[in-house]
Amino acid sequence: MADVSRETSGVESEPAEAAALFGARIDLARRFTADLAAEGEERGLIGPLELPRLWNRHILNSAIAAPLFAPGSRVGDIGSGAGLPGLVLAIARPDVRWVLIEPMERRVAWLTEQVQSLGLDNVEIVRVRGEDWDEGATLDAVTARAVSAFRTLIPLTAPLVRDGGELVLLKGANAENEIGAAEKQIRKFRLSHVRVETVGVGTIAEPTRVIRATVR
C-alpha cells in the first residue's frame, strides 16, 4: 500500500536502467529511494518538484559516476546532504570507503539513519564543514554534487586530497564555463588534468557531467 501511495503522489517509477547500475544491490537502492521519496521533502532534503524525477535526475545521475573511483580508495563527499551522491555511491560501490562530510545536524541524522537501516559498513559520517576538516590531505578522492561553483569548491575539496589524488565533482551543463572561471584557484591549488567528462551517454536518460582534476 505504501508503494502505491507514493506512486500516485507523483513519485517517478524505477527506470529499467537502475537494476543494471546497482546489480545485486538494487534492493538497497530501492529502499533508499523510497525513504527519500517518503521523507525527503518533509525533512528538507529535497524539494517537492524532485519527486517526479527522483530516479533519473538524482539516483541514476549519482550512480553513473560509480566506476570513476578506484577499488579500496577512501573518498570524501563534501556537503553530502540527502546522500547524493555519497549514499548512492556507497550502495553502488561497496569496495570503496565513503566519508560523508556534512555540517547540518538534521542532515547528519538522516544520513546516520540510512547507513544503519541499509547496513552500509563502508560509510563513515563526519559532522563538519569542508573547510574545518582536520585530518589533512588524507583522502584518495573527493566528490560533491550541487554544492557550489567549481571555483568555490576547489578550496573546500583540494586540501583534503592526498598528492596524486583526484577531484570528481558532479556538475551541470555549465561545467566547461565553471572551469574557465576557476583559473586562479586551479593555479593556486596546483590542480592538473582539469577536464569535463560526460558519463552515462547511451546508458541513462540524463547523462552526468563530471569535472575531474588531479591534486598535486
Side-chain angles (χ1 to χ4, degrees), residues 69-215:
F69 302 94
S73 59
R74 185 169 180 247
V75 180
D77 175 25
I78 291 286
S80 196
L84 304 167
L87 278 180
V88 174
L89 291 171
I91 293 170
R93 289 294 304 275
D95 59 332
V96 174
R97 293 173 293 157
W98 300 93
V99 185
L100 309 187
I101 301 168
E102 170 58 52
M104 293 187 64
E105 183 177 6
R106 61 183 174 82
R107 292 175 179 171
V108 168
W110 160 262
L111 295 171
T112 301
E113 291 168 16
Q114 288 299 306
V115 167
Q116 294 174 348
S117 174
L118 299 173
L120 300 177
D121 59 6
N122 61 327
V123 176
E124 59 183 293
I125 301 168
V126 180
R127 186 186 174 192
V128 70
R129 298 186 304 169
E131 56 266 43
D132 296 328
W133 172 264
D134 62 4
E135 287 191 27
T138 57
L139 300 175
D140 298 301
V142 167
T143 190
R145 179 180 184 270
V147 172
S148 189
F150 184 42
R151 64 184 179 184
T152 306
L153 275 173
I154 292 173
L156 301 179
T157 56
L160 283 61
V161 180
R162 63 168 177 78
D163 182 50
E166 193 175 24
L167 303 183
V168 184
L169 308 175
L170 282 61
K171 305 298 294 183
N174 201 39
E176 290 283 1
N177 292 335
E178 288 193 34
I179 291 178
E183 291 182 2
K184 180 179 179 180
Q185 290 82 2
I186 289 172
R187 291 193 301 269
K188 179 178 180 180
F189 288 90
R190 302 172 60 203
L191 303 184
S192 62
H193 301 97
V194 183
R195 74 276 189 193
V196 175
E197 296 182 2
T198 303
V199 294
V201 176
T203 302
I204 60 175
E206 299 186 34
T208 300
R209 290 175 180 84
V210 181
I211 294 181
R212 301 183 71 175
T214 301
V215 180

